[in-house]
Amino acid sequence: MPKGYWVARVDVYDQDAYKNYVATNGEAFAKYGGRFIVRGGRFERLIGSSRSRNVVIEFPSYEDALACWNSPEYQAARARQEGGAEMDAIVIEGYEGAQPGEG
């Protein structure tokens, strides 16, 4: 079964409000098997628009990724941001097919 991923781009406007969110979102991620693949870090915009922070979280399945987003635990964490950040986010299913150069 393909894994599921959250891909988020974030601009933080209020560090204290964003810290409230970060302090509480781990409960939902742990409950649904979320694991950070990218959490901030260096990046270079190559084309198109970007935000100041990028996050990729891996889940055991697409369904788990959606369930986490919709969970009461995650929605409560989001509410704690108090408008401290603006985010673009998607949930996407992983790919398990052939890779370039394979058979």
Side-chain angles (χ1 to χ4, degrees), residues 14-66:
D14 180 334
Q15 291 292 333
D16 291 331
Y18 194 70
K19 285 178 187 176
N20 291 336
Y21 161 72
V22 170
T24 58
N25 65 17
E27 179 183 356
F29 299 151
K31 180 176 179 179
Y32 293 93
R35 183 174 86 87
F36 286 97
I37 303 297
V38 174
R39 189 175 193 182
R42 296 189 305 170
F43 75 95
E44 185 169 329
R45 181 181 58 84
L46 301 175
I47 191 168
S49 64
S50 65
R51 291 190 180 269
S52 60
R53 184 172 175 80
N54 300 285
V55 179
V56 177
I57 305 173
E58 179 183 76
F59 292 86
S61 70
Y62 178 80
E63 291 75 17
D64 288 323
L66 279 177

Side-chain angles (χ1 to χ4, degrees), residues 69-83:
W69 179 270
N70 292 314
S71 71
E73 296 89 353
Y74 183 71
Q75 292 305 314
R78 281 192 70 219
R80 295 201 57 188
Q81 282 189 73
E82 302 163 347

Side-chain angles (χ1 to χ4, degrees), residues 83-102:
E86 188 173 328
M87 175 172 55
D88 297 319
I90 64 167
V91 172
I92 190 166
E93 186 175 61
Y95 176 71
E96 292 186 331
Q99 296 295 327
E102 293 181 350

